[in-house]
Amino acid sequence: MEDLLKNFSVKRITPKQPPQKGLSEYDSLEQRLFSAGKVLAGIGQEWQIDREARTAGDSRIMEAYEALYQMVKDKDYFIVTTNTDAMIYQSSLDSRRITAPCGNVTWRQCSRACTKDIWEPGEIPDDICPHCKAPLTGNTIEAETYIEEGYLPQWRLYTGWLASAMNQPLLVLELGEGFRAPTVIRWPFEKTVRYNQKSYMYRVNENFAQLAEGTGERAVSVMENSVEWVLETAGAV
């Protein structure tokens, strides 16, 4: 018997982990946020701050940024914004988790695009291109020739992060995005929700909260101002 048992080995069987539930199986934002492995947020025009015409509403927007941070700070999150005012970078949200493909008005570029150089605020005190002496302008899509190299490093981080979210419980918060640049947030977010069966999206917009076909029961339309919605919701989760 001892000879028979010499080469006998026992295979350890580990119990299978239960499959992760899709976020549509939960009933509330609080439950979905708690259960989400990742959170993707899109920030649109309702959060834009006019740097030349400050209003009382601007402070509400900054408060909303802080409220959003409190909602996602313990999550693996990424934020895409189409706004160019750069105010999101003055919030507690991690700049390494933000991409702004429409640019950032505080970054400066040559108005003639004679160079691919992009300068930080104050780096060129006279705001004159050191190469061709043309005035500098904001590195945004409003520039006559937009130099995209400024946002591309963060965009690559975002696309890599998004790929890692496939088949993960993903909470998508589309906040105040209309149709100014639908190819950046609105349409790609819809596509993400269609393909990721474990995702769930909140589309919050005062005027454009309509949902596209194909999102099924994995999205909800909230026709409210998204800044106020975040401020109201943050205290309840």
Side-chain angles (χ1 to χ4, degrees):
M1 180 64 73
E2 291 181 1
D3 291 337
L4 291 173
L5 294 175
K6 280 182 180 178
N7 298 318
F8 183 78
S9 61
V10 177
K11 182 178 180 181
R12 185 178 297 275
I13 300 175
T14 56
K16 290 184 177 180
Q17 295 295 322
Q20 292 177 302
K21 295 171 64 176
L23 296 186
S24 62
E25 298 181 48
Y26 297 97
D27 297 324
S28 67
L29 173 61
E30 181 178 13
Q31 292 173 324
R32 291 174 181 128
L33 183 60
F34 177 81
S35 302
K38 295 175 182 288
V39 178
L40 172 60
I43 304 292
Q45 297 98 299
E46 287 181 349
W47 295 58
Q48 178 79 30
I49 292 178
D50 187 338
R51 299 175 64 87
E52 296 181 358
R54 301 248 176 210
T55 68
D58 296 347
S59 61
R60 294 288 284 174
I61 292 173
M62 295 310 299
E63 289 173 20
Y65 276 128
E66 295 305 317
L68 179 61
Y69 170 71
Q70 292 300 322
M71 290 172 65
V72 303
K73 64 179 181 180
D74 297 324
K75 293 293 180 179
D76 181 5
Y77 69 88
F78 218 103
I79 297 175
V80 185
T81 179
T82 55
N83 294 336
T84 60
D85 57 19
M87 299 307 293
I88 190 172
Y89 297 106
Q90 296 186 25
S91 73
S92 298
L93 292 160
D94 189 345
S95 62
R96 296 168 298 181
R97 294 176 174 270
I98 300 169
T99 183
C102 293
N104 178 336
V105 73
T106 65
W107 297 338
R108 311 299 288 168
Q109 68 164 74
C110 175
S111 57
R112 295 178 183 167
C114 77
T115 174
K116 297 290 187 181
D117 290 349
I118 297 171
W119 294 278
E120 295 287 340
E123 193 174 353
I124 307 295
D126 60 2
D127 221 28
I128 299 295
C129 177
H131 303 289
C132 72
K133 306 307 178 184
L136 298 185
T137 190
N139 177 228
T140 75
I141 56 174
E142 282 81 26
E144 185 174 348
T145 303
Y146 176 35
I147 298 173
E148 298 184 339
E149 278 75 5
Y151 84 86
L152 288 178
Q154 282 301 111
W155 185 260
R156 285 191 286 267
L157 286 178
Y158 163 59
T159 55
W161 178 92
L162 190 60
S164 73
M166 185 57 65
N167 205 35
Q168 297 289 322
L170 173 68
L171 181 63
V172 180
L173 303 174
E174 187 188 291
L175 305 171
E177 179 60 20
F179 291 94
R180 180 175 61 184
T183 58
V184 176
I185 293 178
R186 196 174 183 98
W187 296 343
F189 278 26
E190 290 171 357
K191 182 178 180 180
T192 294
V193 174
R194 282 197 300 269
Y195 281 99
N196 187 340
Q197 298 296 309
K198 294 179 181 177
S199 65
Y200 197 89
M201 180 172 75
Y202 287 81
R203 170 166 282 165
V204 189
N205 192 293
E206 200 166 23
N207 299 303
F208 304 109
Q210 301 87 347
L211 292 171
E213 294 182 8
T215 53
E217 297 179 352
R218 287 181 287 107
V220 64
S221 169
V222 182
M223 194 162 283
E224 295 181 25
N225 180 279
S226 58
V227 172
E228 298 302 324
W229 183 82
V230 166
L231 287 168
E232 294 167 4
T233 302
V237 299

